[in-house]
Amino acid sequence: MGSAAKAALVAAVALVAAGLVGANFRDDCDITWEPQNAKMDEGGNHLTLSLVSNSSGCMLRTKKQFIFGSVSTRIKLVKGNSAGTVTTYYTSSIGDNHDEIDFEFLGNETGQPYTVHTNVFADGIGQKEMQFRPWFDPTADYHNYTIFWNECMIVWFIDSIPIRVFRNYSAKGVPFPTRRQMYAFSSIWAAEDWATQGGRVKTDWTKAPFVAEYRDISLRICDCADYGAAGCPASCASPSNWYAAPDLCKLSDAQLRQMRAVQLGYTIYDYCTDAKRYNGTVAPECSMPQY
């Protein structure tokens, strides 16, 4: 990886992890569901989203739509018994055959670990889940969650450490999100029918409200403002953009070592190893290099 390209990606992730990038929830986002359950202070740099009942959570969405770049935020997840709750940070297009890149955090009983759930949809096709146990207590302090996306690959980062890569194999028939502009979303909602231990553990609503905290939001993106249905400008794919540099089509050797260590130690589900789910086969990209 070239030094300039590597520096750009490292800066995009590390600055937010250190709390140094000061985007603003109040100015840059809208509350699109149950606004009474969201609170902002510190000039809009601190956000809480609350789940108060099985039908009343909360959702925040960026004002800007974009294609390609890096989106980050720092999250402190629901403390204590969070069974049946789902806290999210993800990107998604709007409409049919949507594209989506997910971080979802599935709550658990007190003392049991969260599940970090990742997924990607392209042209409405998903079911590409990988799940991890965090190697830290995500309720004790803020941790940075970053989605990096360009024409070559998607990378999920936690605290500057890559945990997963999904490469663009659209030329080989594997859908990859390159055409639909997305928003970045944050939300908390109820999913006790499936979220915790397959739905075996239900939500204890006497513990409500369940509160997730967010700090800082960084949007280093190709903004689709003013393009409407026409989509983002062709310039978003130009190599002159920092995220489109050819050297950012793969991880550095150090990042690859970090990701392999996380995947070896903390992966609890990988759709590429679930042949039973696919009647003895796996998705075609599972036999293609992802790193």
Side-chain angles (χ1 to χ4, degrees):
M1 180 179 289
S3 58
K6 181 178 178 181
L9 181 54
V10 169
V13 178
L15 286 178
V16 179
L20 299 176
V21 174
N24 191 286
F25 294 107
R26 181 189 61 201
D27 297 337
D28 297 319
C29 304
D30 296 313
I31 307 298
T32 58
W33 178 45
E34 303 285 21
Q36 73 276 8
N37 295 334
K39 294 182 180 179
M40 300 182 192
D41 56 16
E42 300 179 16
N45 291 319
H46 177 243
L47 166 73
T48 63
L49 301 180
S50 295
L51 174 64
V52 299
S53 73
N54 61 5
S55 62
S56 183
C58 197
M59 177 179 286
L60 172 140
R61 188 181 78 183
T62 57
K63 295 180 184 294
K64 293 180 179 179
Q65 291 178 284
F66 57 91
I67 190 165
F68 306 136
S70 171
V71 296
S72 301
T73 194
R74 295 193 297 146
I75 309 173
K76 182 161 59 174
L77 296 177
V78 176
K79 293 180 180 294
N81 187 345
S82 57
T85 71
V86 179
T87 304
T88 74
Y89 184 63
Y90 66 102
T91 68
S92 182
S93 65
I94 304 299
D96 296 335
N97 300 320
H98 80 298
D99 296 340
E100 183 174 330
I101 307 167
D102 291 337
F103 264 120
E104 295 186 329
F105 309 96
L106 313 185
N108 213 330
E109 300 172 283
T110 301
Q112 298 298 311
Y114 264 80
T115 295
V116 179
H117 176 98
T118 66
N119 199 3
V120 57
F121 290 78
D123 300 334
I125 298 172
Q127 295 187 330
K128 302 181 187 299
E129 303 94 338
M130 285 189 70
Q131 295 181 336
F132 307 85
R133 293 290 190 225
W135 53 96
F136 51 87
D137 180 354
T139 73
D141 204 349
Y142 294 92
H143 292 269
N144 176 43
Y145 302 92
T146 297
I147 296 167
F148 172 78
W149 169 39
N150 65 12
E151 283 195 297
C152 297
M153 64 181 183
I154 300 164
V155 188
W156 292 255
F157 290 88
I158 299 178
D159 293 334
S160 304
I161 297 173
I163 65 168
R164 180 184 179 183
V165 171
F166 186 83
R167 298 201 64 81
N168 184 352
Y169 285 114
S170 57
K172 297 184 178 181
V174 179
F176 187 88
T178 56
R179 297 183 294 111
R180 295 176 180 84
Q181 56 204 45
M182 298 201 207
Y183 295 97
F185 293 83
S186 300
S187 68
I188 186 169
W189 48 284
E192 65 179 2
D193 57 330
W194 65 270
T196 303
Q197 301 176 37
R200 183 181 68 83
V201 181
K202 304 301 183 182
T203 305
D204 181 356
W205 291 107
T206 68
K207 301 294 193 299
F210 302 95
V211 180
E213 296 186 66
Y214 293 72
R215 283 192 181 278
D216 307 319
I217 183 169
S218 173
L219 305 173
R220 298 195 67 217
I221 55 175
C222 192
D223 187 357
C224 297
D226 302 324
Y227 290 90
C232 288
S235 60
C236 285
S238 169
S240 63
N241 294 301
W242 71 270
Y243 55 80
D247 285 341
L248 288 183
C249 280
K250 63 179 183 179
L251 299 181
S252 69
D253 290 343
Q255 289 173 327
L256 184 55
R257 287 192 296 271
Q258 288 179 317
M259 183 174 69
R260 284 174 172 163
V262 168
Q263 292 188 351
L264 283 171
Y266 300 99
T267 302
I268 59 172
Y269 179 81
D270 182 350
Y271 77 106
C272 281
T273 64
D274 192 354
K276 182 178 179 181
R277 177 179 179 183
Y278 299 101
N279 298 317
T281 65
V282 293
E285 67 271 15
C286 295
S287 63
M288 303 174 189
Q290 290 294 328
Y291 308 140

